[in-house]
């Protein structure tokens, strides 16, 4: 019986579920009060969920009686206070539930759902030593786990007679004694590969390798090749992949094994999915050139004033080298660095480059990593022993940094920084800028083709613009020439999709021993299967688009819903004509035409179809960079961030589609795409060439690309956007409604648009049909809201949210899917 009544403590808890806000719970009498960021188990309806404490307070909640929390999971916060602020802001800004943000942010390993199965970690010896200091309950649990295949939390609770075993479970997991079944599976899925290194004694003893080489040179040339290839590949004495060594040396496994028998080579098994511990030497930082030094000084000056920087550096100017210096400064100060890159740029090439300077301080974080690796990185970042560098795709902005010294967003214009589905539909670049502003963290956005919005920010004085206008190598930017397809067709000089101009340039490149990249943003053989007579194309049954013909699969495929028809129809469904065939140019067709045009040339294709397996992408790039291929044909995958020294020519198979795409950003995107892909040519020694094929050679965007006049592009775009009310002058919010019944979508969209017009007047546009009116049997209509940039979001967020919520509750429209996208890209 309490004499003095202590005040009741309440916890606001964020749950990884689609709940609009935090829920309030009570701390039970005598229970310890967890801190903000600690995970707790709470009841929700008849479920139990693990959530994160968002606030601790003593305000009595109005209108309902809060339930008691069931258990505390952590003995220290796993989410920082700063993160709770950022995620709350994200849910407000991107008009989504806090639960959506928490769900996206936490790696699965930290969500600890009640159906997670826990088992004994088979890798750990059960010994007295390991069990030292375990509580009776923990020992009981271990015993119980040993007897079974695995148990979920509920079973565990029953077996050991503890109502809320999460904490004990987590304790065992942290000590490595127990593991979740999911993580165990993932752990063993990690493929092992064989690496070769030279025995360290052999390496250190002067002259041994030379003597060995002399010995085998004449009688076993293959062995000599293998040893030489190794020395060439492993410049720092690090291990190399055995298969790659064999390929490079042109020898079989048995030749390599001869060296192993002689104790010159040592074999090593390594899991390849993890970013292996770096064992090479850590190099000195690159010495900056004079223009780079100048840029670096300007960047530093701005960052000292805590003003973010846009680094506008042409392709090959060495932006990465500047980042490396900035990162180094942060690490030296014991701070953490966050380096964001688009998913596609997250290649081994980049990681190895960073490891050369920062060794094992480099951590990689992105969604393709499995959950145990991500959980591991999360906890390491949280502990921040020494400074560390996290390289990651957009989800890395969710990590629990405690002492962030710099954020770098490379290729800031990339649309892939924006998450499309599910909510939160955030833009990692903009979240980074928010973090920079809020916590005064130095922040650099870099690009060769910055977005119109970001350039505008620099003009408005919110950011500093720093330019790098030359390539590091001193090589001139590539020469861009245009192939006029209309003219060539008239002159009958086209061969399939190839103009004479492009063919001639390819020939010249091959003769000079150069490699060629061909870009076409359509995969498959041809984008449609069409009737010659009436022009009718075979459409997807579920989507409003023509089906793509894939020759190898001998079928028509929809790239949006997976629908397919095989084999393709031999007769036109509309007019009955049998003159029906593939129309248009996809990467598969280009590959085929190349085989006809240049039979002796080796061609690799890189698109979604050829890179489905986990390492295919990296392998292709590696092979191309070793000049195992002469031509690389690909979709936008080949346009980004690749640094190949030997590419002399880039061909853009068709620039027309991107110039006519109905979107206010299409000119900007076309400029970026053409410039980026051009940037792959002639990077190292000689000036490269780019051939752009098009039916509109005089288009102003193409003319801007040719002279590399990004400034004029932005100027033009800003005028247009001001006139027509587009970003950066307004904030766009797109509301999409989808349903299988077209009439219902129409009716719903009208009702919602009318309601919103009553509120916001002519800031509301639509409903309009998007370029694809139906996908996967769902009809779609969009309503577009345009709010003046100056208008604070808080002045309309509330009303807007209520209107949308009421609409979704309207019984007539209940089944409609409503998607809200702030700052759509
Ligand atoms: P960007 O990212 O601007 O396109 P990169 O950083 O890829 O350019 O640099 C282009 C090439 O020039 C790379 O091969 C890089 O190693 C080299 N490079 C750039 N700056 C330096 C430097 N200061 N020292 C040595 N090499 C450099
Ligand atoms: Zn027809
Ligand atoms: Zn479809």
């Amino acid at each position: 019986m309490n004499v003095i009544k202590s005040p009741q403590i309440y916890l606001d808890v964020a749950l990884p579920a689609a709940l609009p806000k935090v829920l309030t719970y009570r701390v039970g009498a005598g229970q310890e009060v967890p801190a903000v960021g600690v995970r707790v188990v709470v009841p929700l309806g008849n479920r139990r969920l693990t959530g994160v404490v968002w606030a601790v307070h003593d305000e009595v909640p109005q209108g309902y009686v809060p339930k008691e929390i069931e258990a505390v999971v952590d003995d220290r916060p796993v989410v920082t206070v700063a993160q709770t602020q950022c995620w709350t802001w994200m849910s407000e800004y991107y008009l989504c539930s806090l639960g959506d943000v928490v769900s996206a942010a936490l790696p699965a390993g930290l969500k600890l759902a009640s159906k997670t199965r826990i088992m004994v970690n088979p890798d750990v010896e059960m010994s007295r030593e390991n069990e030292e200091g375990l509580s009776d309950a923990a020992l009981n649990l271990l015993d119980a786990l040993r007897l079974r295949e695995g148990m979920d939390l509920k079973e565990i609770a029953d077996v050991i007679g503890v109502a809320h075993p999460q904490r004990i479970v987590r304790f065992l997991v942290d000590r490595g004694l127990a593991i979740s079944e999911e993580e165990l599976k993932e752990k063993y899925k990690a493929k092992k590969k064989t690496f070769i290194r030279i025995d360290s004694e052999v390496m250190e003893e002067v002259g041994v390798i030379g003597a060995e080489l002399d010995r085998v040179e004449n009688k076993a040339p293959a062995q000599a090749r293998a040893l030489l290839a190794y020395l060439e590949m492993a410049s720092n004495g690090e291990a190399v992949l055995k298969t790659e060594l064999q390929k490079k040396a042109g020898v079989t496994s048995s030749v390599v094994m001869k060296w192993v028998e002689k104790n010159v080579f040592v074999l090593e098994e390594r899991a390849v999915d993890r970013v292996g511990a770096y064992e090479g030497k850590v190099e000195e930082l690159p010495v900056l050139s004079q223009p780079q030094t100048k840029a670096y000084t300007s960047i530093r000056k701005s960052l000292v004033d805590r003003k973010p920087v846009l680094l506008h550096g042409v392709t090959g100017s060495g932006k990465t080298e500047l980042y490396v210096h900035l990162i180094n400064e942060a690490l030296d100060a014991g701070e953490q660095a966050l380096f964001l890159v688009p998913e596609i740029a997250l290649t081994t090439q980049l990681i190895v480059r960073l490891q050369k300077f920062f060794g094992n301080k480099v951590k990689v974080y992105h969604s393709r990593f499995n959950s145990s690796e991500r959980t591991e990185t999360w906890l390491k970042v949280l502990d921040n022993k020494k400074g560390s560098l996290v390289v990651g795709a957009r989800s890395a902005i969710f990590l629990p940094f405690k002492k962030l010294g710099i954020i770098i967003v490379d290729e800031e214009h990339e649309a892939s920084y924006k998450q499309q589905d599910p909510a939160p539909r955030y833009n990692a670049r903009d979240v980074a800028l928010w973090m920079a502003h809020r916590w005064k963290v130095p922040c650099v956005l870099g690009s060769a083709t910055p977005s119109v919005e970001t350039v505008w920010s620099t003009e408005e004085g919110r950011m500093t613009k720093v330019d790098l206008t030359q390539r590091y190598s001193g090589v001139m930017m590539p020469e861009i020439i245009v192939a006029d397809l209309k003219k060539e067709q008239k002159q009958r000089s086209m061969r399939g999709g190839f103009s004479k101009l492009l063919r001639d340039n390819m020939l010249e490149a091959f003769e000079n021993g150069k490699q060629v990249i061909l870009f076409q943003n359509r995969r498959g053989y041809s984008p449609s299967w069409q009737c010659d007579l009436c022009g009718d194309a075979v459409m997807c049954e579920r989507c409003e688009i023509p089906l793509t013909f894939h020759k190898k699969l001998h079928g028509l495929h929809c790239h949006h819903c997976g629908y397919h028809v095989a084999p393709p129809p031999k007769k036109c469904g509309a007019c009955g004509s049998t003159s029906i065939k593939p129309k248009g140019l996809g990467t598969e067709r280009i590959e085929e035409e190349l085989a006809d045009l240049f039979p002796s040339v080796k061609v690799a294709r890189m698109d979604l179809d050829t890179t489905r397996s986990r390492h295919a992408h990296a392998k292709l790039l590696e092979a191309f960079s070793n000049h195992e291929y002469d031509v690389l044909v690909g979709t936008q995958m080949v346009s980004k961030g690749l640094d190949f020294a030997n590419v002399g020519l880039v061909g853009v198979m068709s620039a027309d589609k991107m110039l006519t795409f109905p979107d206010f950003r299409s000119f900007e995107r076309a400029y970026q795409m053409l410039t980026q892909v051009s940037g792959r040519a002639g990077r190292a020694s000689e000036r490269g060439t780019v051939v752009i094929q098009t039916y509109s050679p005089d288009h102003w965007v193409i003319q801007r690309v040719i002279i590399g006049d990004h400034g004029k592009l932005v100027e033009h775009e800003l005028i247009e956007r001001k006139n027509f009310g587009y970003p950066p002058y307004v904030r766009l919010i797109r509301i999409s409604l989808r349903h299988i019944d077209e009439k219902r979508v129409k009716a719903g969209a009208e009702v919602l648009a009318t309601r919103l017009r009553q509120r916001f007047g002519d800031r509301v546009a639509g409903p309009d049909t998007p370029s694809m009116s139906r996908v996967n049997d769902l009809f779609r209509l969009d309503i577009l809201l345009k709010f003046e940039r100056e208008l604070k979001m808080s002045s309309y967020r509330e009303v807007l949210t209520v209107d949308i919520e009421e609409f979704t509750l309207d019984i007539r429209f209940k089944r409609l899917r409503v998607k809200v996208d702030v700052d759509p890209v």
Side-chain angles (χ1 to χ4, degrees), residues 531-536 572-577:
C531 170
D532 268 343
L533 219 61
C534 72
D536 198 61
C572 171
C575 74
S577 154

Side-chain angles (χ1 to χ4, degrees), residues 80-95:
T80 67
V81 174
Q83 282 178 295
T84 64
Q85 293 165 353
C86 181
W87 301 355
T88 302
W89 170 77
M90 283 177 75
S91 81
E92 286 169 2
Y93 184 84
Y94 290 107
L95 302 173

Side-chain angles (χ1 to χ4, degrees), residues 474-699:
V475 175
M476 277 170 80
M477 298 305 288
E479 181 192 10
I480 300 176
I481 46 184
V482 177
D484 183 343
L485 294 184
K486 222 189 284 171
K487 207 163 110 200
E488 290 225 14
Q489 254 171 5
K490 234 188 235 151
Q491 297 169 343
R492 305 190 166 276
S493 54
M494 294 293 290
R495 294 289 172 275
F498 291 78
S499 63
K500 181 164 185 324
L501 189 67
L502 179 55
R503 294 195 312 272
D504 288 349
N505 274 279
M506 288 177 73
L507 259 182
E508 196 183 323
F510 297 143
E511 274 162 15
N512 294 329
K514 294 284 178 196
Q515 288 169 288
V516 175
I517 291 182
L518 296 178
F519 168 71
Q520 170 73 337
N521 216 5
R522 293 300 306 236
R523 65 188 168 94
Y525 188 85
S526 68
S528 68
W529 183 261
Q530 210 170 329
C531 170
D532 268 343
L533 219 61
C534 72
D536 198 61
V538 182
M539 304 291 283
C540 176
E541 265 197 356
R542 307 180 202 141
C543 311
E544 199 54 50
I545 44 156
L547 293 171
T548 302
F549 174 54
H550 285 252
K551 191 163 190 177
K552 214 162 164 196
L553 302 168
H554 199 60
L556 305 178
H557 290 251
C558 174
H559 290 172
H560 292 269
C561 72
Y563 175 83
H564 61 273
V565 184
K570 293 200 173 68
K571 252 164 99 178
C572 171
C575 74
S577 154
T578 51
S579 183
I580 181 167
K581 52 175 185 278
K583 264 253 155 61
L585 199 59
T587 45
E588 194 186 0
R589 187 175 203 161
I590 296 171
E591 194 184 15
E592 184 185 279
E593 291 186 352
L594 275 171
D596 273 351
L597 290 171
F598 304 101
S600 64
V601 151
K602 288 211 201 80
V603 180
R605 170 157 64 95
M606 191 160 88
D607 54 32
L608 252 180
D609 299 313
T610 61
T611 55
R612 280 192 210 279
S613 72
R614 206 166 154 134
H615 299 289
H617 186 250
K619 264 194 213 142
L620 262 176
L621 292 182
E622 176 103 24
F624 186 65
S625 112
N626 293 339
H627 208 152
E628 285 166 41
Y629 297 103
D630 304 298
V631 183
L632 181 64
V633 181
T635 53
Q636 49 156 356
M637 284 184 182
V638 302
S639 71
K640 294 172 186 170
L642 304 179
D643 190 21
F644 298 118
N646 197 44
V647 173
L649 173 70
V650 166
V652 175
M653 299 307 291
S654 164
D656 298 314
K657 182 111 184 160
M658 51 181 124
L659 291 169
T660 51
F661 196 75
D663 181 89
F664 75 93
R665 267 190 248 268
S666 60
F667 289 155
E668 180 186 359
R669 292 261 179 263
Y671 183 94
Q672 287 164 344
M673 188 70 102
L674 291 172
T675 305
Q676 293 286 346
V677 73
S678 301
R680 303 311 118 210
R683 288 168 74 86
S685 51
E686 285 159 67
R687 188 179 190 198
T689 307
V690 178
V691 174
I692 298 179
Q693 304 198 118
T694 172
Y695 282 95
S696 31
D698 299 323
H699 196 291

Side-chain angles (χ1 to χ4, degrees), residues 246-260:
Q246 285 160 208
K247 203 155 61 184
K248 175 146 182 144
V251 301
T252 58
S253 172
S254 62
V255 173
V256 174
M257 292 311 284
K258 285 260 157 48
W259 286 119
V260 175

